């Protein structure tokens, strides 16, 4: 399944434009949406779920346009895990999922089979009799993921599924998302660069309602190459000298001095070298370039 957004804008009544003339193509597989808080990720995702109508622009799911007459059809192909998820605290995991399956109109027998299958896949089978309120944050997220998958969606939209979880649980969720993207389109939003880098090879970087980059992560890293340097200075004062002409993104004391990471179009000093670029570096580079414009 292929999703296209063409010149989509969302302005709220309070005057905030959360999504500003964006164009995006989301192909089959897993696609990352990276941006700090307030960038517009949730708003964009709510448009894609059909819950929120854009102020202008068009959205296409394959050849199907997001329009009043098609919403029913489109919704049936979508699974959504919202950022804030509050599932019935007094129901057991199983009861909760069966109830949600019923609500979304999945035939009972199929629903039960899918619940079994996904409880197994998400390592929750042994916890299915627990009440929702007894689960850890990560387990609740996993139940949320199952909930989003009950109608076997072709397009799975997950909003900050790893936020607030411990590292082990974050890795587990990332792996599940990659697994679930084998036969569908998955849109995964996060403000955690590390989570995105681990799960996605394609992404959009969002800031203030606009995309700073969309495409292959490898190309983004390539773009940042030549702009990121590391060097060692003796002390903070020497680092401040450099700060007058270039942007320092991190400082770390080592045995040989103060190691600084710098964003600069040209070599900032004789001892500087170009490091292996990470998504974190490239993200900093994009943010810095944006700040200068
Ligand atoms: P993100 O998910 O990246 O943190 P959001 O899409 O939630 O970003 O928000 C983007 C901007 O839109 C923020 O400035 C937010 O305050 C604003 N916003 C979001 N929803 C609404 C709304 N319903 N009414 C008014 N402003 C909103
Ligand atoms: Mg959000």
């Amino acid at each position: 399944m292929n999703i296209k957004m063409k010149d989509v804008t969302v302005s709220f009544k309070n005057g905030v434009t959360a999504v500003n003339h964006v164009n995006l193509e989301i192909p089959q597989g897993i696609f990352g949406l990276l941006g700090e808080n307030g960038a517009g990720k949730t708003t964009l995702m709510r448009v894609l779920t059909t819950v929120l109508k854009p102020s202008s622009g068009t959205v296409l799911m394959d050849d199907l346009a997001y329009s009043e007459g098609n919403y029913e059809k489109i919704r049936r192909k979508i699974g959504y895990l919202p950022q804030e998820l509050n599932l019935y605290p007094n129901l057991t995991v199983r009861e909760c999922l069966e109830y949600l399956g019923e609500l979304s109109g999945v035939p009972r027998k199929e629903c039960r089979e899918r619940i079994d299958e996904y409880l197994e896949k998400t390592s929750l089978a042994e916890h299915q009799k627990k009440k929702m309120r007894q689960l850890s944050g990560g387990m609740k997220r996993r139940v949320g993921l199952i909930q989003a998958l009950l109608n076997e969606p072709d397009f799975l939209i997950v909003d900050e599924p790893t936020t607030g979880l411990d590292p082990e649980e974050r890795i587990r969720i990332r792996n599940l998302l990659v697994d679930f993207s084998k036969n569908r389109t998955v849109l995964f939003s996060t403000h955690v660069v590390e989570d995105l880098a681990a799960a996605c090879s394609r992404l959009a970087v969002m800031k203030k309602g606009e995309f700073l980059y969309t495409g292959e992560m490898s190309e983004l890293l390539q773009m940042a190459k030549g702009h990121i340097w590391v060097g060692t200075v003796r002390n903070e004062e020497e680092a401040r000298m450099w700060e007058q002409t270039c942007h320092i993104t991190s400082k770390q004391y080592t045995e040989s001095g103060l190691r600084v990471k710098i964003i600069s179009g040209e070599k900032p000093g004789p001892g500087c070298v170009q490091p292996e670029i990470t998504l974190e570096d490239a993200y900093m580079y994009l943010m810095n370039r944006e700040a200068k414009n």
Side-chain angles (χ1 to χ4, degrees):
M1 168 165 296
N2 194 54
I3 311 294
K4 279 199 198 90
M5 302 182 89
K6 291 185 194 158
D7 200 19
V8 170
T9 293
V10 180
S11 298
F12 293 109
K13 285 195 190 97
N14 62 0
V16 173
T17 297
V19 173
N20 197 1
H21 296 285
V22 303
N23 291 289
L24 181 65
E25 184 160 352
I26 311 169
Q28 177 102 10
I30 183 162
F31 190 93
L33 181 60
L34 178 64
E36 58 202 15
N37 279 332
K41 303 183 297 299
T42 298
T43 303
L44 187 111
M45 289 183 140
R46 290 178 65 220
V47 167
L48 291 173
T49 63
T50 74
V51 171
L52 187 65
K53 280 182 205 155
S55 317
S56 63
T58 52
V59 185
L60 284 173
M61 172 183 270
D62 289 334
D63 296 328
L64 205 59
Y66 275 51
S67 59
E68 208 65 64
N70 289 337
Y71 279 155
E72 245 341 280
K73 217 166 166 183
I74 288 169
R75 277 182 201 140
R76 263 183 267 136
K77 296 176 193 258
I78 289 177
Y80 179 42
L81 174 56
Q83 194 171 349
E84 313 286 342
L85 181 76
N86 230 334
L87 295 176
Y88 310 91
N90 293 320
L91 295 187
T92 66
V93 170
R94 174 120 217 151
E95 287 164 351
C96 181
L97 288 169
E98 283 181 359
Y99 180 60
L100 290 166
E102 208 174 299
L103 282 187
S104 56
V106 184
R108 187 170 246 173
K109 185 165 168 287
E110 277 172 40
C111 185
R112 293 199 164 153
E113 283 166 7
R114 283 179 201 164
I115 291 173
D116 283 332
E117 180 193 337
Y118 286 118
L119 282 173
E120 212 50 64
K121 277 191 179 153
T122 57
S123 319
L124 285 172
E126 62 195 278
H127 302 289
Q128 58 181 299
K129 291 197 176 117
K130 284 193 182 150
K131 301 259 199 232
M132 284 303 296
R133 64 177 141 80
Q134 294 172 303
L135 302 187
S136 69
M139 287 162 126
K140 280 184 194 156
R141 264 328 136 72
R142 280 185 265 151
V143 177
L145 258 183
I146 301 178
Q147 164 274 135
L149 289 164
L150 285 181
N151 62 337
E152 293 287 9
D154 293 321
F155 183 25
L156 177 65
I157 302 171
V158 278
D159 198 356
E160 304 230 19
T162 59
T163 299
L165 303 182
D166 61 51
E168 196 184 324
E169 191 68 58
R170 278 168 43 205
I171 293 170
R172 193 198 289 264
I173 300 266
R174 272 160 19 194
N175 290 342
L176 283 170
L177 291 176
V178 171
D179 194 26
F180 296 146
S181 73
K182 300 258 154 69
N183 49 357
R184 51 171 72 85
T185 301
V186 175
L187 181 63
F188 164 33
S189 86
T190 181
H191 64 268
V192 184
V193 178
E194 187 193 331
D195 286 340
L196 193 133
C200 309
S201 61
R202 286 161 309 173
L203 80 164
V205 179
M206 202 174 186
K207 187 178 181 187
K208 291 187 185 151
E210 293 176 14
F211 292 137
L212 303 186
Y213 180 83
T214 62
E216 297 286 331
M217 189 161 87
S218 57
E219 274 172 39
L220 174 58
L221 300 185
Q222 201 58 38
M223 242 168 82
K225 217 171 170 174
H227 296 266
I228 310 283
W229 302 86
V230 290
T232 306
V233 293
R234 267 173 303 198
N235 48 39
E236 290 280 349
E237 198 176 338
E238 248 184 72
R240 267 195 294 280
M241 298 271 291
W242 276 10
E243 250 162 354
Q244 292 174 359
T245 51
C246 35
H247 184 78
I248 294 183
T249 61
S250 72
K251 292 180 194 163
Q252 191 190 2
Y253 281 97
T254 65
E255 274 175 14
S256 49
L258 184 59
R259 200 179 132 92
V260 290
K261 198 171 245 186
I262 301 157
I263 300 176
S264 172
E266 47 202 70
K267 196 168 178 167
C272 289
V273 294
Q274 296 189 337
E276 188 80 35
I277 307 281
T278 63
L279 182 59
E280 185 84 48
D281 296 326
Y283 185 54
M284 290 286 201
Y285 160 72
L286 281 179
M287 290 293 174
N288 184 253
R289 195 182 63 172
E290 165 73 9
K292 276 194 194 147
N293 287 342

